[in-house]
Amino acid sequence: MIEKHIALENVDPVIFYGTGNANLQLLKALFPKVRIVARGNIIKIMGQEEEIENLEKLISKLEQHCSTYNTLKEEDIVDLFNGGNAKADNPALDNVIVFGVSGRPVVARSDNQRRLVEDYAKNDMLFAIGPAGSGKTYTAIALAVRALKNKEVKRIVLCRPAVEAGEKLGFLPGDMREKIDPYLQPLYDALQDMIPQGKLKEYMDYGTIQIAPLAFMRGRTLNDAVVILDEAQNTTPQQIKMFMTRMGWNTKMVITGDLTQIDLPKTQVSGLVQALSILENIPGISIIRMTKKDIVRHKLVTRIVEAYDEFDKNNKI
C-alpha cells in the first residue's frame, strides 16, 4: 500500500468536492479500494499502486475540467471516469471565451465584441472604444481570465484612473484603499462573475490578480501579464503614455474608454483622444470602435444613449 498527496492548485476546492462533498463521495464509490481523505486543497489517497495511478489520472482530468468550466457535476465525473470528454465535444461551446461562475459561458455577443476577441489573438495592444454597456471592459477581462487559466500569462493587472464623476474623492470615508475601491468596483464585479469567490481571493492575496489606480503603475515593467486600463478617457496624455510604456515581454494590453464620458476638467486634453490619433496606424495595435449596436445591457441603456446623443447634436454651439 502506498500513500500520495495531491494538491488542487487551479480550482476552488468547494466546487471540486461538490455540495455536501457529493463529488468526493462519488470518487470513493468509483474507487472502493482506495482510501480518500480531503483537507482543504489537499487530497490524501492510500491504496495499491495501480489503483492510485488510475485515481490520479482521473483527478487530473477533473481538475482541468473544473478549472475550464468553473463547475463539476457528478455526471461529468462519471463521463470522464468512463473515458468521455464531458463538455469538450459540444460544438455549441466553440465561441465561448471563458466559463464563469457555476459554468455560465461568457461569449462575445456582438460583431465588435467578436472582433475584439479575434484581434486580441493577433495584436499585443488593443483599444476598445465605445458607449456604456457595449461590453468592452467585460470582454477584455474575460480574455484576461482565459489567458490566466490557460497559463499563457502569470498575472492580470487591472487599473483605472481615480477621477471623480461628480463626487469628490476626499469626501469618501476611510483610508486611501477604502477611498479608491469604489472606483475599481466595476472590475471586481466582472471578476466575480468569472472566478469563484474562494479562488479569486487567493489570486488577489498572492498578487496573481492586481487591481490598482493608474498612478500605481509608474516605474513598473509588466512581463507575462494581461494589463487592462479601464475608463482611459479620463487619463491625461502623460498618464496614458506612462501606462503604455509599462509593457514588458509576453504582455498584452487592452485600453478601454468611452469618449462621451470624459470627466476631466474642460481645459485638460484626454490622453485617450490623443493616443488614438497618434497610434492609429501602428502595426501590432488594434483599435475597435464599438457603437450603440454593441450595447448588451438592458434595452433602456441603448435608448438612453441615443437620447443623449440626439440632445448633444441639437445643442451644439
Side-chain angles (χ1 to χ4, degrees):
M1 181 176 287
I2 61 174
E3 177 180 316
K4 284 196 173 182
H5 293 80
I6 301 172
L8 301 175
E9 297 179 350
N10 300 311
V11 300
D12 185 340
V14 174
I15 296 175
F16 189 89
Y17 297 145
T19 304
N21 286 334
N23 294 341
L24 193 61
Q25 296 304 320
L26 178 56
L27 284 177
K28 291 178 179 180
L30 294 172
F31 292 88
K33 296 180 181 180
V34 179
R35 187 181 175 202
I36 305 173
V37 179
R39 292 288 183 275
N41 70 325
I42 303 297
I43 301 176
K44 181 169 71 173
I45 53 178
M46 293 164 282
Q48 298 302 317
E49 185 173 0
E50 184 178 355
E51 290 282 323
I52 292 292
E53 287 180 1
N54 290 335
L55 178 54
E56 275 189 296
K57 290 177 182 177
L58 179 60
I59 289 175
S60 178
K61 290 180 181 179
L62 296 176
E63 187 176 8
Q64 180 60 49
H65 179 93
C66 191
S67 175
T68 300
Y69 299 108
N70 271 331
T71 185
L72 184 62
K73 300 177 182 178
E74 293 179 51
E75 53 265 36
D76 298 328
I77 296 173
V78 173
D79 192 13
L80 290 167
F81 175 77
N82 290 325
N85 292 316
K87 297 179 181 179
D89 294 328
N90 187 345
L93 302 179
D94 290 345
N95 65 337
V96 174
I97 302 172
V98 72
F99 286 86
V101 175
S102 302
R104 183 181 62 82
V106 177
V107 300
R109 297 171 59 185
S110 72
D111 290 341
N112 280 319
Q113 287 181 20
R114 282 186 282 273
R115 186 188 161 201
L116 176 57
V117 174
E118 292 167 1
D119 284 11
Y120 175 88
K122 304 172 188 175
N123 300 274
D124 288 336
M125 182 177 291
L126 298 94
F127 287 82
I129 313 303
S134 56
K136 51 191 183 294
T137 302
Y138 199 82
T139 304
I141 290 178
L143 289 166
V145 171
R146 182 182 70 181
L148 183 64
K149 287 193 169 198
N150 292 344
K151 299 184 178 179
E152 298 166 9
V153 297
K154 295 180 180 177
R155 58 181 166 166
I156 297 172
V157 181
L158 309 173
C159 64
R160 270 186 158 204
V163 174
E164 296 93 340
E167 304 85 4
K168 293 297 182 184
L169 184 63
F171 291 150
L172 294 173
D175 57 20
M176 180 56 69
R177 171 69 183 271
E178 292 171 318
K179 288 176 184 289
I180 287 172
D181 267 357
Y183 290 90
L184 307 177
Q185 191 59 48
L187 305 179
Y188 288 113
D189 291 343
L191 287 170
Q192 287 167 352
D193 277 356
M194 301 176 202
I195 302 175
Q197 186 175 359
K199 195 65 186 176
L200 178 58
K201 184 178 185 304
E202 179 184 322
Y203 279 150
M204 297 188 72
D205 287 346
Y206 285 96
T208 305
I209 294 178
Q210 302 170 16
I211 304 180
L214 177 60
F216 288 21
M217 295 297 106
R218 186 172 298 279
R220 302 181 67 181
T221 299
L222 301 169
N223 297 314
D224 298 307
V226 177
V227 189
I228 298 173
L229 172 60
D230 192 32
E231 299 289 347
Q233 76 275 5
N234 289 328
T235 61
T236 65
Q238 295 79 13
Q239 286 174 329
I240 199 166
K241 180 182 176 183
M242 177 273 291
F243 172 81
M244 292 186 292
T245 54
R246 301 308 92 201
M247 177 180 276
W249 296 107
N250 190 38
T251 289
K252 286 183 180 278
M253 284 189 165
V254 184
I255 299 166
T256 71
D258 179 357
L259 298 180
T260 68
Q261 294 190 12
I262 298 175
D263 299 314
L264 295 169
K266 297 294 183 183
T267 56
Q268 176 66 65
V269 175
S270 167
L272 178 59
V273 173
Q274 186 184 83
L276 290 172
S277 64
I278 293 173
L279 304 175
E280 183 79 45
N281 299 308
I282 301 296
I285 297 178
S286 173
I287 299 175
I288 297 97
R289 300 182 188 275
M290 296 179 169
T291 68
K292 291 173 285 190
K293 293 180 181 179
D294 297 296
I295 294 177
V296 292
R297 290 182 185 168
H298 193 284
K299 60 186 178 183
L300 277 179
V301 176
T302 303
R303 296 173 188 170
I304 290 169
V305 171
E306 290 175 343
Y308 271 87
D309 285 349
E310 185 68 21
F311 176 82
D312 291 339
K313 184 171 66 175
N314 295 332
N315 288 275
K316 283 186 178 179
I317 297 176

